[in-house]
Structures are given as C-alpha cells and as structure tokens.
Amino acid sequence: MDEEIVGLSSMATRPILAELSEWIGRAHDMPVRFESAGGVEVARRVREGAAGDVLVLAEDALAALAAEGLVLAATARPLWVSQVVAAVPEGSPAPALDSQEALRAALLRARRIAYSTGPSGTAVLDLINRQGLAEALRDRLVQAPPGVPAGTLLASGEADLAFQQHSELMDLPGVRVVGPLPGDAGISTTFAGAVLTASARPGAAGEVLDLLAAEEAAETARARGMRPAARPPARDRPTSG
C-alpha cells in the first residue's frame, strides 16, 4: 500500500501513535503519519475542514465532533485510558499524595501550579474547586500554552507543581513524576479514535484503527503511561471510497 493514511491527534497520544505508526508501516505495509497538537486546536482544525483520515482525541471531544457529523460515529472506539499525575522539578522532594489531605497540603504549599489546556487541565480545575481551594490558589495557577506540556514550566522554573497526563510528563527533562492522585481525586481520560467523515479512504482508515486497538499495540500503550481501554462490541468497517 503506497498511499499514506494521515491522522490527527492530541499531544497526549503523540508518543504512542509515533511508535505504532512505525509498527503499522513496517509490519503491515500501511504508511501512516499522525499530526499532533493540543486537543482544542485539533478539534478546531477538524471543524475548519482539516484534511485527514483518522482522528484520536479525548473521548468526549471526539463524541462532540461525531454529533456534528465530522467523524463517522459508527467507527468511534475507545483506545487508551490515561491517568493524570502530579510532577515536580527534578531534584525537588516529592510531596506525599497518599490521601486527599496530603494532596490538599501539597496544593497549598506550591508557589505556582501548572496545568494544561486539554481535558486534564479542566479536570484539575474542577478538582481544585471541589477541594474549596479555587480562591486560595487563583493567583498561583499557570496554564501552559496550547500544545505545550505543563511539565516544561517545571523545568523552566515557572512552576513547582504540575498536573497532566502521564504520557506527556514521563519523558520530559528536568521533571520528576510523583504519581497519580489519591482515591476519589484520581483523574483519568479515555482517548478514542474514529474515521474522519472527510476521509477519502475510510476502509483503510478503519484498518488503522483496528491495529491501534489490537493486542499487539497494548504493550506500547503501557510503556507510554496508558492502558488499553475496554473493547467495545465489534462494528462494521466502512468501505473504501
């Protein structure tokens, strides 16, 4: 197969998709390339008519695009589940995160708290509101620019505590991942994939989705800080157009 399948994705899944694209091309002779950006930016591009075949985004963002007819709803499927983790600058002591009280204390001790523009950032703000700390922390919150990992603000000294998807923090230089949030404060995001309605090759795009969800891809997901999502019932694949 010579014609390249083009995918669009959020930054959280970029490392996984880079490895799996190489595997699909090598093992299945299907050239695949993903373009990644912040999830909000990717959704905007899709709404503005960006060309592509496969879309991988947070499940709720993808569902919104399906409701607008921009992806083929029948092809949508969960792929991976990612936990939001806390991180500090490398060399800094790790705060205890073994209870809600410990998390609250870590938030109150932090001078600057970094969070993302994606679904994890929204969830972190909701968590802070539920903790009753929105006013106390209002002047200490710093949002990373779209498509920029919140962990880069740790490395640059602009923050001393950050929250984001594990896959986006685990390999950043100057960053120490502390771990997931405790108990009911835990935050996870399911990333899903679907065939874009605008795809000229929906059949081949559906094959790529099948491979992304295959058992052979699960180890790559785990190595990149995610776990495979529960498999939905089988659905008919669209025919090539």
Side-chain angles (χ1 to χ4, degrees), residues 1-232:
M1 183 180 296
D2 296 324
E3 194 172 350
E4 187 176 60
I5 294 295
V6 176
L8 304 174
S9 81
S10 58
M11 296 296 288
T13 55
R14 180 174 63 170
I16 296 174
L17 291 169
E19 287 192 33
L20 293 180
S21 294
E22 290 184 14
W23 166 64
I24 292 170
R26 182 178 64 252
H28 297 273
D29 194 28
M30 297 178 67
V32 181
R33 173 176 57 87
F34 274 86
E35 300 172 2
S36 300
V40 173
E41 170 67 11
V42 171
R44 182 189 66 78
R45 291 182 191 177
V46 171
R47 289 186 171 101
E48 293 179 355
D53 301 293
V54 178
L55 181 66
V56 177
L57 278 182
E59 194 170 44
D60 56 349
L62 189 138
L65 294 172
E68 296 171 38
L70 296 171
V71 301
L72 300 177
T75 68
R77 61 190 301 169
L79 294 173
W80 308 297
V81 179
S82 176
Q83 280 190 308
V84 170
V85 298
V88 296
E90 191 173 30
S92 298
L97 292 177
D98 54 350
S99 68
Q100 299 268 9
E101 292 75 17
L103 172 61
R104 183 183 177 88
L107 287 165
L108 288 170
R109 280 196 306 268
R111 291 179 297 103
R112 298 281 279 174
I113 301 166
Y115 66 101
S116 80
T117 58
S120 66
T122 301
V124 167
L125 293 180
D126 288 343
L127 171 63
I128 288 171
N129 283 328
R130 294 198 309 272
Q131 294 273 339
L133 298 177
E135 184 60 29
L137 301 180
R138 179 168 54 87
D139 294 332
R140 292 189 246 171
L141 297 172
V142 54
Q143 187 177 49
V148 176
T152 61
L153 302 180
L154 297 175
S156 67
E158 297 174 70
D160 55 338
L161 182 64
F163 298 92
Q164 199 165 17
Q165 307 291 350
H166 191 193
S167 62
E168 295 185 81
L169 291 175
M170 62 187 296
D171 292 327
L172 284 180
V175 171
R176 176 184 182 182
V177 172
V178 178
L181 308 186
D184 292 342
I187 299 169
S188 63
T189 299
T190 298
F191 290 93
V195 175
L196 283 160
T197 303
S199 174
R201 304 177 64 221
E207 291 179 30
V208 169
L209 274 179
D210 287 345
L211 291 169
L212 294 179
E215 186 60 35
E216 296 91 328
E219 192 57 36
T220 297
R222 294 187 184 98
R224 288 293 180 176
M226 298 192 186
R227 69 177 189 271
R231 295 183 179 182

